Amino acid sequence: MSDMLGGADAGKPSLFEIVAQHKMGGLLEPALRHVTSVYAHRYPRYLVRVLNWHEEAYAALMLLVERHYLRNYGASFTEHFYGTKRVRTRTIGGDNSLTRADMWRSLAFLVGLPLAKSRLDQLYDRLSGGEAARLLGDAFAARDRPAEEAAEAGPAAGLRQRLASVRAVATRLFIRYYAHANFAYHAATLLYYVAYMFDRTDYNSPWLHILGLQVRRLSAADYRAMDARGPTTSSLAAPPNGTALRATRNLVARLLAGGLDALKALLPLSIFFYRFLEWWYRSDFHRKIQQAPVPPPPMPPRPHPDGLAVPEDQSLCPICEKPRTNPAMAPSGYVFCYPCIHRHVAGAGTCPVTLARTRPADIRKLYTDA
Ligand SMILES: [Zn+2]
């Protein structure tokens, strides 16, 4: 449908490509969080702090990554991964490539907006009492803190009281309107998807509309230009007569740029790793493999050649050779009548069958007749 309605514009990516891009962007964060948490268990000293500030750490990382890709390829990381780039809707002198300002505005929407939204979501969860409030209504919502400090006198207390009441009002407004804002956010995204699919707009998201940028497929000319430029050398064309410091800085920059280009392969791999772990822990497969082996049975006790012979009929007592009454076991594992074995052990201090050293206290009463 997307292709039928897309019309003659070959440079316009289909909705499926756009949705795939957005989905991939959403998967990167949990994948990295999972990998970090796995390693935080192993190296808690360094990584627990990263895990606690995961969203900020992720935003900082993505700022680096997205800046690199926007500067060198004119696209966000996922857009470049799917062979698309951002272009200006309004060209400046026939050139529609991104300006510096476009790049920074793009970064604000690519990195800042998701971070802010995630933080606000958490705040809303905390203030509104979380799942319980959402499912069961206002009765379970978190109450405003009682204004105990109001009892104090003096101008400082008055100011504090006024601040507290302002805060309470702000909290109430936030709780009331955030859900609506959230709804509007998702509705706008969906609306743009539908409009994009029916070719009513060239922007696949409201943010791109605000920025005045479109996402277009890379053309053959784009690929040729990229090849000619080589891998991310735009900022590295340093003169050969630089100082040692500049040479070092150049090397570090080149290594960093190389690493960021390698992310093209690494980040999708981490998604597959994450998906694999998810499947692994959800399926029964790993439980079958990890099942603890059944411990081998203990060695059977060996009758001593000089000891009593064990009767063929296992229900007989080896000492009196009659059916056992009141069965009791020596530590060797053989079972006798309690009076017989007690009398023997008290006298000889050994098990009558194996001649192993045995004390009367070692005899165990059996409550289920063996
Ligand atoms: Zn007996």
Side-chain angles (χ1 to χ4, degrees):
M1 194 169 188
S2 176
D3 264 359
M4 280 191 307
L5 296 170
D9 191 354
K12 186 180 169 183
S14 76
L15 182 69
F16 299 105
E17 288 165 278
I18 299 298
V19 170
Q21 274 171 26
H22 293 174
K23 273 234 164 85
M24 180 175 164
L27 274 175
L28 287 172
E29 200 260 352
L32 279 180
R33 182 199 296 263
H34 193 93
V35 173
T36 313
S37 71
V38 166
Y39 279 97
H41 278 294
R42 210 164 293 172
Y43 309 105
R45 186 193 265 184
Y46 310 104
L47 287 173
V48 159
R49 218 165 300 156
V50 177
L51 201 61
N52 288 343
W53 289 93
H54 177 84
E55 265 137 22
E56 282 74 11
Y58 177 74
L61 178 72
M62 285 320 277
L63 195 68
L64 203 70
V65 172
E66 301 288 26
R67 186 171 154 270
H68 173 83
Y69 278 88
L70 279 168
R71 219 162 73 167
N72 290 291
Y73 303 107
S76 76
F77 171 68
T78 51
E79 281 159 6
H80 181 66
F81 186 76
Y82 279 94
T84 57
K85 64 168 186 176
R86 297 181 167 207
V87 297
R88 296 176 58 88
T89 310
R90 249 181 253 136
T91 55
I92 304 173
D95 182 19
N96 64 0
S97 58
L98 300 191
T99 63
R100 239 184 130 67
D102 286 329
M103 197 185 88
W104 285 108
R105 277 199 291 264
S106 290
L107 276 178
F109 278 101
L110 284 169
V111 179
L113 187 72
L115 177 67
K117 180 161 184 336
S118 143
R119 279 285 165 220
L120 287 174
D121 281 347
Q122 284 169 16
L123 183 68
Y124 179 73
D125 264 5
R126 209 178 61 226
L127 291 178
S128 66
E131 282 300 319
R134 213 168 307 141
L135 293 174
L136 304 170
D138 285 342
F140 287 81
R143 302 284 143 138
D144 296 339
R145 215 170 292 144
E148 284 162 10
E149 300 102 30
E152 289 174 45
L159 185 67
R160 211 175 303 145
Q161 196 182 341
R162 218 168 302 144
L163 274 178
S165 67
V166 165
R167 218 181 121 168
V169 169
T171 305
R172 213 168 308 137
L173 284 178
F174 176 73
I175 291 176
R176 178 167 309 163
Y177 291 111
Y178 185 69
H180 297 289
N182 208 3
F183 173 76
Y185 175 92
H186 289 291
T189 307
L190 184 68
L191 210 68
Y192 268 85
Y193 274 172
V194 174
Y196 186 82
M197 187 170 75
F198 286 99
D199 210 21
R200 300 281 161 197
T201 173
D202 288 331
Y203 306 104
N204 65 55
S205 82
W207 321 123
L208 286 172
H209 202 161
I210 293 171
L211 292 170
L213 301 175
Q214 295 175 31
V215 171
R216 309 276 298 168
R217 285 202 182 112
L218 288 174
S219 63
D222 288 321
Y223 281 111
R224 268 199 297 278
M226 239 181 266
D227 279 348
R229 202 152 40 92
T232 63
T233 47
S234 60
S235 59
L236 304 173
N241 57 353
T243 59
L245 181 72
R246 193 182 298 170
T248 318
R249 211 179 57 193
N250 227 18
L251 182 72
V252 169
R254 194 168 309 168
L255 284 178
L256 195 65
L260 286 173
D261 269 344
L263 280 180
K264 247 186 275 187
L266 272 180
L267 285 189
L269 267 183
S270 83
I271 293 176
F272 287 123
F273 178 63
Y274 171 71
R275 284 291 188 187
F276 170 75
L277 285 180
E278 221 179 35
W279 166 80
W280 179 257
Y281 285 111
R282 205 179 293 152
S283 68
D284 287 338
F285 190 63
H286 82 283
R287 248 168 266 145
K288 272 180 208 141
I289 289 181
Q290 290 180 345
Q291 221 163 45
V294 179
M299 292 279 284
R302 233 175 253 147
H304 196 276
D306 300 336
L308 281 178
V310 181
E312 292 273 313
D313 182 353
Q314 298 212 339
S315 66
L316 300 181
C317 165
I319 296 176
C320 63
E321 295 185 325
K322 282 182 223 154
R324 275 190 295 260
T325 57
N326 213 354
M329 186 183 75
S332 62
Y334 286 100
V335 184
F336 314 86
C337 313
Y338 182 75
C340 300
I341 184 65
H342 191 271
R343 203 179 311 128
H344 181 92
V345 168
T350 57
C351 163
V353 178
T354 59
L355 302 190
R357 183 188 275 282
T358 306
R359 291 167 303 156
D362 296 333
I363 296 166
R364 289 287 172 273
K365 175 89 181 72
L366 293 183
Y367 293 96
T368 308
D369 195 335

PDB file of all heavy atoms in Angstrom, residues 166-196:
ATOM      1  N   VAL A 166       2.856  26.278  45.961  1.00  0.00           N
ATOM      2  CA  VAL A 166       3.101  26.391  44.519  1.00  0.00           C
ATOM      3  C   VAL A 166       3.459  25.018  43.964  1.00  0.00           C
ATOM      4  O   VAL A 166       2.968  24.598  42.912  1.00  0.00           O
ATOM      5  CB  VAL A 166       4.252  27.395  44.244  1.00  0.00           C
ATOM      6  CG1 VAL A 166       4.755  27.242  42.820  1.00  0.00           C
ATOM      7  CG2 VAL A 166       3.764  28.809  44.486  1.00  0.00           C
ATOM      8  N   ARG A 167       4.286  24.302  44.727  1.00  0.00           N
ATOM      9  CA  ARG A 167       4.720  22.976  44.286  1.00  0.00           C
ATOM     10  C   ARG A 167       3.543  22.021  44.203  1.00  0.00           C
ATOM     11  O   ARG A 167       3.435  21.236  43.259  1.00  0.00           O
ATOM     12  CB  ARG A 167       5.748  22.449  45.277  1.00  0.00           C
ATOM     13  CG  ARG A 167       6.846  21.681  44.586  1.00  0.00           C
ATOM     14  CD  ARG A 167       7.801  21.170  45.589  1.00  0.00           C
ATOM     15  NE  ARG A 167       7.830  19.722  45.446  1.00  0.00           N
ATOM     16  CZ  ARG A 167       8.739  18.966  46.027  1.00  0.00           C
ATOM     17  NH1 ARG A 167       9.636  19.512  46.807  1.00  0.00           N
ATOM     18  NH2 ARG A 167       8.734  17.671  45.847  1.00  0.00           N
ATOM     19  N   ALA A 168       2.638  22.118  45.206  1.00  0.00           N
ATOM     20  CA  ALA A 168       1.480  21.225  45.212  1.00  0.00           C
ATOM     21  C   ALA A 168       0.600  21.480  43.997  1.00  0.00           C
ATOM     22  O   ALA A 168       0.130  20.550  43.336  1.00  0.00           O
ATOM     23  CB  ALA A 168       0.692  21.419  46.504  1.00  0.00           C
ATOM     24  N   VAL A 169       0.403  22.784  43.689  1.00  0.00           N
ATOM     25  CA  VAL A 169      -0.427  23.134  42.526  1.00  0.00           C
ATOM     26  C   VAL A 169       0.223  22.626  41.249  1.00  0.00           C
ATOM     27  O   VAL A 169      -0.436  22.022  40.384  1.00  0.00           O
ATOM     28  CB  VAL A 169      -0.646  24.662  42.471  1.00  0.00           C
ATOM     29  CG1 VAL A 169      -1.269  25.044  41.123  1.00  0.00           C
ATOM     30  CG2 VAL A 169      -1.528  25.103  43.616  1.00  0.00           C
ATOM     31  N   ALA A 170       1.543  22.824  41.150  1.00  0.00           N
ATOM     32  CA  ALA A 170       2.263  22.378  39.950  1.00  0.00           C
ATOM     33  C   ALA A 170       2.145  20.868  39.796  1.00  0.00           C
ATOM     34  O   ALA A 170       1.925  20.356  38.697  1.00  0.00           O
ATOM     35  CB  ALA A 170       3.732  22.790  40.050  1.00  0.00           C
ATOM     36  N   THR A 171       2.278  20.162  40.929  1.00  0.00           N
ATOM     37  CA  THR A 171       2.168  18.709  40.882  1.00  0.00           C
ATOM     38  C   THR A 171       0.795  18.285  40.391  1.00  0.00           C
ATOM     39  O   THR A 171       0.665  17.407  39.539  1.00  0.00           O
ATOM     40  CB  THR A 171       2.412  18.132  42.290  1.00  0.00           C
ATOM     41  OG1 THR A 171       3.662  18.602  42.754  1.00  0.00           O
ATOM     42  CG2 THR A 171       2.391  16.629  42.266  1.00  0.00           C
ATOM     43  N   ARG A 172      -0.253  18.967  40.934  1.00  0.00           N
ATOM     44  CA  ARG A 172      -1.610  18.579  40.555  1.00  0.00           C
ATOM     45  C   ARG A 172      -1.848  18.841  39.064  1.00  0.00           C
ATOM     46  O   ARG A 172      -2.423  18.024  38.358  1.00  0.00           O
ATOM     47  CB  ARG A 172      -2.622  19.350  41.411  1.00  0.00           C
ATOM     48  CG  ARG A 172      -3.870  18.540  41.687  1.00  0.00           C
ATOM     49  CD  ARG A 172      -4.736  19.175  42.754  1.00  0.00           C
ATOM     50  NE  ARG A 172      -3.983  19.471  43.972  1.00  0.00           N
ATOM     51  CZ  ARG A 172      -4.110  20.621  44.663  1.00  0.00           C
ATOM     52  NH1 ARG A 172      -4.914  21.566  44.256  1.00  0.00           N
ATOM     53  NH2 ARG A 172      -3.411  20.803  45.768  1.00  0.00           N
ATOM     54  N   LEU A 173      -1.365  19.994  38.588  1.00  0.00           N
ATOM     55  CA  LEU A 173      -1.532  20.322  37.170  1.00  0.00           C
ATOM     56  C   LEU A 173      -0.800  19.311  36.308  1.00  0.00           C
ATOM     57  O   LEU A 173      -1.305  18.856  35.281  1.00  0.00           O
ATOM     58  CB  LEU A 173      -0.999  21.731  36.889  1.00  0.00           C
ATOM     59  CG  LEU A 173      -1.903  22.864  37.353  1.00  0.00           C
ATOM     60  CD1 LEU A 173      -1.237  24.204  37.071  1.00  0.00           C
ATOM     61  CD2 LEU A 173      -3.257  22.792  36.656  1.00  0.00           C
ATOM     62  N   PHE A 174       0.422  18.961  36.731  1.00  0.00           N
ATOM     63  CA  PHE A 174       1.233  18.024  35.964  1.00  0.00           C
ATOM     64  C   PHE A 174       0.518  16.687  35.850  1.00  0.00           C
ATOM     65  O   PHE A 174       0.419  16.116  34.764  1.00  0.00           O
ATOM     66  CB  PHE A 174       2.589  17.865  36.656  1.00  0.00           C
ATOM     67  CG  PHE A 174       3.477  16.853  35.994  1.00  0.00           C
ATOM     68  CD1 PHE A 174       4.079  17.136  34.786  1.00  0.00           C
ATOM     69  CD2 PHE A 174       3.698  15.616  36.587  1.00  0.00           C
ATOM     70  CE1 PHE A 174       4.887  16.212  34.172  1.00  0.00           C
ATOM     71  CE2 PHE A 174       4.508  14.688  35.972  1.00  0.00           C
ATOM     72  CZ  PHE A 174       5.104  14.987  34.765  1.00  0.00           C
ATOM     73  N   ILE A 175      -0.015  16.210  36.999  1.00  0.00           N
ATOM     74  CA  ILE A 175      -0.698  14.918  36.982  1.00  0.00           C
ATOM     75  C   ILE A 175      -1.922  14.980  36.074  1.00  0.00           C
ATOM     76  O   ILE A 175      -2.193  14.055  35.309  1.00  0.00           O
ATOM     77  CB  ILE A 175      -1.096  14.492  38.407  1.00  0.00           C
ATOM     78  CG1 ILE A 175       0.157  14.160  39.222  1.00  0.00           C
ATOM     79  CG2 ILE A 175      -2.032  13.301  38.379  1.00  0.00           C
ATOM     80  CD1 ILE A 175      -0.122  13.827  40.654  1.00  0.00           C
ATOM     81  N   ARG A 176      -2.634  16.103  36.145  1.00  0.00           N
ATOM     82  CA  ARG A 176      -3.864  16.183  35.362  1.00  0.00           C
ATOM     83  C   ARG A 176      -3.566  16.229  33.874  1.00  0.00           C
ATOM     84  O   ARG A 176      -4.248  15.610  33.072  1.00  0.00           O
ATOM     85  CB  ARG A 176      -4.670  17.416  35.772  1.00  0.00           C
ATOM     86  CG  ARG A 176      -5.936  17.548  34.927  1.00  0.00           C
ATOM     87  CD  ARG A 176      -6.904  18.545  35.481  1.00  0.00           C
ATOM     88  NE  ARG A 176      -7.221  18.345  36.889  1.00  0.00           N
ATOM     89  CZ  ARG A 176      -7.774  19.283  37.652  1.00  0.00           C
ATOM     90  NH1 ARG A 176      -8.042  20.467  37.143  1.00  0.00           N
ATOM     91  NH2 ARG A 176      -8.055  19.046  38.912  1.00  0.00           N
ATOM     92  N   TYR A 177      -2.523  16.987  33.461  1.00  0.00           N
ATOM     93  CA  TYR A 177      -2.349  17.242  32.031  1.00  0.00           C
ATOM     94  C   TYR A 177      -1.291  16.372  31.374  1.00  0.00           C
ATOM     95  O   TYR A 177      -1.244  16.305  30.155  1.00  0.00           O
ATOM     96  CB  TYR A 177      -2.047  18.719  31.792  1.00  0.00           C
ATOM     97  CG  TYR A 177      -3.261  19.561  32.096  1.00  0.00           C
ATOM     98  CD1 TYR A 177      -3.297  20.408  33.190  1.00  0.00           C
ATOM     99  CD2 TYR A 177      -4.402  19.445  31.303  1.00  0.00           C
ATOM    100  CE1 TYR A 177      -4.432  21.143  33.484  1.00  0.00           C
ATOM    101  CE2 TYR A 177      -5.536  20.170  31.593  1.00  0.00           C
ATOM    102  CZ  TYR A 177      -5.550  21.021  32.685  1.00  0.00           C
ATOM    103  OH  TYR A 177      -6.678  21.724  32.978  1.00  0.00           O
ATOM    104  N   TYR A 178      -0.455  15.714  32.150  1.00  0.00           N
ATOM    105  CA  TYR A 178       0.618  14.964  31.501  1.00  0.00           C
ATOM    106  C   TYR A 178       0.071  13.806  30.669  1.00  0.00           C
ATOM    107  O   TYR A 178       0.558  13.542  29.571  1.00  0.00           O
ATOM    108  CB  TYR A 178       1.633  14.450  32.522  1.00  0.00           C
ATOM    109  CG  TYR A 178       2.805  13.788  31.833  1.00  0.00           C
ATOM    110  CD1 TYR A 178       3.692  14.557  31.100  1.00  0.00           C
ATOM    111  CD2 TYR A 178       2.985  12.413  31.869  1.00  0.00           C
ATOM    112  CE1 TYR A 178       4.744  13.982  30.428  1.00  0.00           C
ATOM    113  CE2 TYR A 178       4.036  11.832  31.189  1.00  0.00           C
ATOM    114  CZ  TYR A 178       4.916  12.623  30.475  1.00  0.00           C
ATOM    115  OH  TYR A 178       5.938  12.038  29.796  1.00  0.00           O
ATOM    116  N   ALA A 179      -0.950  13.148  31.208  1.00  0.00           N
ATOM    117  CA  ALA A 179      -1.532  12.019  30.457  1.00  0.00           C
ATOM    118  C   ALA A 179      -2.069  12.497  29.110  1.00  0.00           C
ATOM    119  O   ALA A 179      -1.904  11.824  28.090  1.00  0.00           O
ATOM    120  CB  ALA A 179      -2.633  11.370  31.274  1.00  0.00           C
ATOM    121  N   HIS A 180      -2.693  13.708  29.112  1.00  0.00           N
ATOM    122  CA  HIS A 180      -3.198  14.254  27.854  1.00  0.00           C
ATOM    123  C   HIS A 180      -2.061  14.572  26.899  1.00  0.00           C
ATOM    124  O   HIS A 180      -2.144  14.286  25.705  1.00  0.00           O
ATOM    125  CB  HIS A 180      -4.014  15.522  28.124  1.00  0.00           C
ATOM    126  CG  HIS A 180      -5.231  15.262  28.952  1.00  0.00           C
ATOM    127  ND1 HIS A 180      -6.326  14.589  28.452  1.00  0.00           N
ATOM    128  CD2 HIS A 180      -5.525  15.547  30.241  1.00  0.00           C
ATOM    129  CE1 HIS A 180      -7.240  14.488  29.401  1.00  0.00           C
ATOM    130  NE2 HIS A 180      -6.778  15.055  30.508  1.00  0.00           N
ATOM    131  N   ALA A 181      -1.001  15.155  27.456  1.00  0.00           N
ATOM    132  CA  ALA A 181       0.146  15.508  26.618  1.00  0.00           C
ATOM    133  C   ALA A 181       0.754  14.247  26.016  1.00  0.00           C
ATOM    134  O   ALA A 181       1.103  14.213  24.832  1.00  0.00           O
ATOM    135  CB  ALA A 181       1.183  16.251  27.448  1.00  0.00           C
ATOM    136  N   ASN A 182       0.823  13.218  26.835  1.00  0.00           N
ATOM    137  CA  ASN A 182       1.372  11.949  26.373  1.00  0.00           C
ATOM    138  C   ASN A 182       0.518  11.385  25.241  1.00  0.00           C
ATOM    139  O   ASN A 182       1.023  10.901  24.227  1.00  0.00           O
ATOM    140  CB  ASN A 182       1.392  10.980  27.557  1.00  0.00           C
ATOM    141  CG  ASN A 182       2.496   9.962  27.424  1.00  0.00           C
ATOM    142  OD1 ASN A 182       3.268  10.020  26.479  1.00  0.00           O
ATOM    143  ND2 ASN A 182       2.563   9.047  28.362  1.00  0.00           N
ATOM    144  N   PHE A 183      -0.796  11.482  25.422  1.00  0.00           N
ATOM    145  CA  PHE A 183      -1.711  10.995  24.394  1.00  0.00           C
ATOM    146  C   PHE A 183      -1.509  11.780  23.103  1.00  0.00           C
ATOM    147  O   PHE A 183      -1.435  11.206  22.019  1.00  0.00           O
ATOM    148  CB  PHE A 183      -3.163  11.128  24.880  1.00  0.00           C
ATOM    149  CG  PHE A 183      -4.166  10.816  23.817  1.00  0.00           C
ATOM    150  CD1 PHE A 183      -4.408   9.508  23.448  1.00  0.00           C
ATOM    151  CD2 PHE A 183      -4.845  11.834  23.163  1.00  0.00           C
ATOM    152  CE1 PHE A 183      -5.324   9.211  22.456  1.00  0.00           C
ATOM    153  CE2 PHE A 183      -5.758  11.546  22.176  1.00  0.00           C
ATOM    154  CZ  PHE A 183      -6.005  10.236  21.813  1.00  0.00           C
ATOM    155  N   ALA A 184      -1.402  13.105  23.236  1.00  0.00           N
ATOM    156  CA  ALA A 184      -1.219  13.953  22.060  1.00  0.00           C
ATOM    157  C   ALA A 184       0.075  13.569  21.337  1.00  0.00           C
ATOM    158  O   ALA A 184       0.116  13.504  20.105  1.00  0.00           O
ATOM    159  CB  ALA A 184      -1.179  15.417  22.477  1.00  0.00           C
ATOM    160  N   TYR A 185       1.116  13.283  22.101  1.00  0.00           N
ATOM    161  CA  TYR A 185       2.414  12.906  21.542  1.00  0.00           C
ATOM    162  C   TYR A 185       2.268  11.670  20.660  1.00  0.00           C
ATOM    163  O   TYR A 185       2.678  11.643  19.500  1.00  0.00           O
ATOM    164  CB  TYR A 185       3.368  12.640  22.711  1.00  0.00           C
ATOM    165  CG  TYR A 185       4.736  12.133  22.358  1.00  0.00           C
ATOM    166  CD1 TYR A 185       5.796  13.003  22.171  1.00  0.00           C
ATOM    167  CD2 TYR A 185       4.981  10.764  22.245  1.00  0.00           C
ATOM    168  CE1 TYR A 185       7.060  12.553  21.877  1.00  0.00           C
ATOM    169  CE2 TYR A 185       6.233  10.296  21.939  1.00  0.00           C
ATOM    170  CZ  TYR A 185       7.265  11.186  21.754  1.00  0.00           C
ATOM    171  OH  TYR A 185       8.513  10.716  21.457  1.00  0.00           O
ATOM    172  N   HIS A 186       1.618  10.628  21.238  1.00  0.00           N
ATOM    173  CA  HIS A 186       1.489   9.386  20.477  1.00  0.00           C
ATOM    174  C   HIS A 186       0.505   9.529  19.327  1.00  0.00           C
ATOM    175  O   HIS A 186       0.705   8.960  18.257  1.00  0.00           O
ATOM    176  CB  HIS A 186       1.080   8.249  21.414  1.00  0.00           C
ATOM    177  CG  HIS A 186       2.188   7.843  22.325  1.00  0.00           C
ATOM    178  ND1 HIS A 186       3.316   7.204  21.873  1.00  0.00           N
ATOM    179  CD2 HIS A 186       2.372   8.004  23.656  1.00  0.00           C
ATOM    180  CE1 HIS A 186       4.140   6.985  22.883  1.00  0.00           C
ATOM    181  NE2 HIS A 186       3.590   7.467  23.977  1.00  0.00           N
ATOM    182  N   ALA A 187      -0.564  10.307  19.554  1.00  0.00           N
ATOM    183  CA  ALA A 187      -1.559  10.501  18.489  1.00  0.00           C
ATOM    184  C   ALA A 187      -0.920  11.231  17.319  1.00  0.00           C
ATOM    185  O   ALA A 187      -1.155  10.883  16.156  1.00  0.00           O
ATOM    186  CB  ALA A 187      -2.745  11.291  19.026  1.00  0.00           C
ATOM    187  N   ALA A 188      -0.083  12.240  17.613  1.00  0.00           N
ATOM    188  CA  ALA A 188       0.565  12.997  16.538  1.00  0.00           C
ATOM    189  C   ALA A 188       1.469  12.085  15.727  1.00  0.00           C
ATOM    190  O   ALA A 188       1.480  12.126  14.496  1.00  0.00           O
ATOM    191  CB  ALA A 188       1.361  14.155  17.134  1.00  0.00           C
ATOM    192  N   THR A 189       2.211  11.213  16.434  1.00  0.00           N
ATOM    193  CA  THR A 189       3.096  10.282  15.737  1.00  0.00           C
ATOM    194  C   THR A 189       2.299   9.387  14.795  1.00  0.00           C
ATOM    195  O   THR A 189       2.652   9.205  13.625  1.00  0.00           O
ATOM    196  CB  THR A 189       3.854   9.427  16.766  1.00  0.00           C
ATOM    197  OG1 THR A 189       4.476  10.297  17.701  1.00  0.00           O
ATOM    198  CG2 THR A 189       4.900   8.580  16.101  1.00  0.00           C
ATOM    199  N   LEU A 190       1.193   8.851  15.318  1.00  0.00           N
ATOM    200  CA  LEU A 190       0.363   7.948  14.513  1.00  0.00           C
ATOM    201  C   LEU A 190      -0.234   8.694  13.316  1.00  0.00           C
ATOM    202  O   LEU A 190      -0.256   8.183  12.196  1.00  0.00           O
ATOM    203  CB  LEU A 190      -0.740   7.362  15.395  1.00  0.00           C
ATOM    204  CG  LEU A 190      -1.622   6.342  14.702  1.00  0.00           C
ATOM    205  CD1 LEU A 190      -0.821   5.093  14.388  1.00  0.00           C
ATOM    206  CD2 LEU A 190      -2.817   5.995  15.566  1.00  0.00           C
ATOM    207  N   LEU A 191      -0.711   9.910  13.583  1.00  0.00           N
ATOM    208  CA  LEU A 191      -1.327  10.719  12.528  1.00  0.00           C
ATOM    209  C   LEU A 191      -0.335  10.958  11.395  1.00  0.00           C
ATOM    210  O   LEU A 191      -0.680  10.846  10.216  1.00  0.00           O
ATOM    211  CB  LEU A 191      -1.760  12.054  13.137  1.00  0.00           C
ATOM    212  CG  LEU A 191      -2.963  12.715  12.492  1.00  0.00           C
ATOM    213  CD1 LEU A 191      -4.195  11.879  12.771  1.00  0.00           C
ATOM    214  CD2 LEU A 191      -3.135  14.130  13.035  1.00  0.00           C
ATOM    215  N   TYR A 192       0.902  11.271  11.754  1.00  0.00           N
ATOM    216  CA  TYR A 192       1.902  11.519  10.722  1.00  0.00           C
ATOM    217  C   TYR A 192       2.218  10.248   9.959  1.00  0.00           C
ATOM    218  O   TYR A 192       2.456  10.293   8.752  1.00  0.00           O
ATOM    219  CB  TYR A 192       3.171  12.118  11.343  1.00  0.00           C
ATOM    220  CG  TYR A 192       3.136  13.620  11.322  1.00  0.00           C
ATOM    221  CD1 TYR A 192       2.498  14.322  12.323  1.00  0.00           C
ATOM    222  CD2 TYR A 192       3.702  14.330  10.272  1.00  0.00           C
ATOM    223  CE1 TYR A 192       2.438  15.698  12.304  1.00  0.00           C
ATOM    224  CE2 TYR A 192       3.644  15.713  10.241  1.00  0.00           C
ATOM    225  CZ  TYR A 192       3.017  16.393  11.256  1.00  0.00           C
ATOM    226  OH  TYR A 192       2.952  17.753  11.219  1.00  0.00           O
ATOM    227  N   TYR A 193       2.214   9.096  10.635  1.00  0.00           N
ATOM    228  CA  TYR A 193       2.424   7.824   9.937  1.00  0.00           C
ATOM    229  C   TYR A 193       1.366   7.640   8.861  1.00  0.00           C
ATOM    230  O   TYR A 193       1.661   7.316   7.716  1.00  0.00           O
ATOM    231  CB  TYR A 193       2.324   6.655  10.927  1.00  0.00           C
ATOM    232  CG  TYR A 193       3.621   6.321  11.639  1.00  0.00           C
ATOM    233  CD1 TYR A 193       3.627   5.386  12.674  1.00  0.00           C
ATOM    234  CD2 TYR A 193       4.813   6.907  11.274  1.00  0.00           C
ATOM    235  CE1 TYR A 193       4.792   5.063  13.333  1.00  0.00           C
ATOM    236  CE2 TYR A 193       5.989   6.584  11.936  1.00  0.00           C
ATOM    237  CZ  TYR A 193       5.971   5.664  12.967  1.00  0.00           C
ATOM    238  OH  TYR A 193       7.122   5.348  13.611  1.00  0.00           O
ATOM    239  N   VAL A 194       0.098   7.836   9.278  1.00  0.00           N
ATOM    240  CA  VAL A 194      -1.007   7.597   8.340  1.00  0.00           C
ATOM    241  C   VAL A 194      -0.931   8.580   7.188  1.00  0.00           C
ATOM    242  O   VAL A 194      -1.026   8.205   6.001  1.00  0.00           O
ATOM    243  CB  VAL A 194      -2.361   7.706   9.078  1.00  0.00           C
ATOM    244  CG1 VAL A 194      -3.505   7.613   8.077  1.00  0.00           C
ATOM    245  CG2 VAL A 194      -2.478   6.618  10.125  1.00  0.00           C
ATOM    246  N   ALA A 195      -0.733   9.863   7.512  1.00  0.00           N
ATOM    247  CA  ALA A 195      -0.659  10.885   6.475  1.00  0.00           C
ATOM    248  C   ALA A 195       0.504  10.601   5.534  1.00  0.00           C
ATOM    249  O   ALA A 195       0.392  10.753   4.312  1.00  0.00           O
ATOM    250  CB  ALA A 195      -0.501  12.264   7.114  1.00  0.00           C
ATOM    251  N   TYR A 196       1.615  10.131   6.099  1.00  0.00           N
ATOM    252  CA  TYR A 196       2.810   9.830   5.299  1.00  0.00           C
ATOM    253  C   TYR A 196       2.517   8.677   4.354  1.00  0.00           C
ATOM    254  O   TYR A 196       2.900   8.685   3.189  1.00  0.00           O
ATOM    255  CB  TYR A 196       3.955   9.490   6.239  1.00  0.00           C
ATOM    256  CG  TYR A 196       5.284   9.299   5.554  1.00  0.00           C
ATOM    257  CD1 TYR A 196       6.080  10.384   5.224  1.00  0.00           C
ATOM    258  CD2 TYR A 196       5.741   8.024   5.248  1.00  0.00           C
ATOM    259  CE1 TYR A 196       7.289  10.224   4.598  1.00  0.00           C
ATOM    260  CE2 TYR A 196       6.961   7.854   4.614  1.00  0.00           C
ATOM    261  CZ  TYR A 196       7.734   8.953   4.297  1.00  0.00           C
ATOM    262  OH  TYR A 196       8.930   8.787   3.669  1.00  0.00           O
TER     263      TYR A 196
END
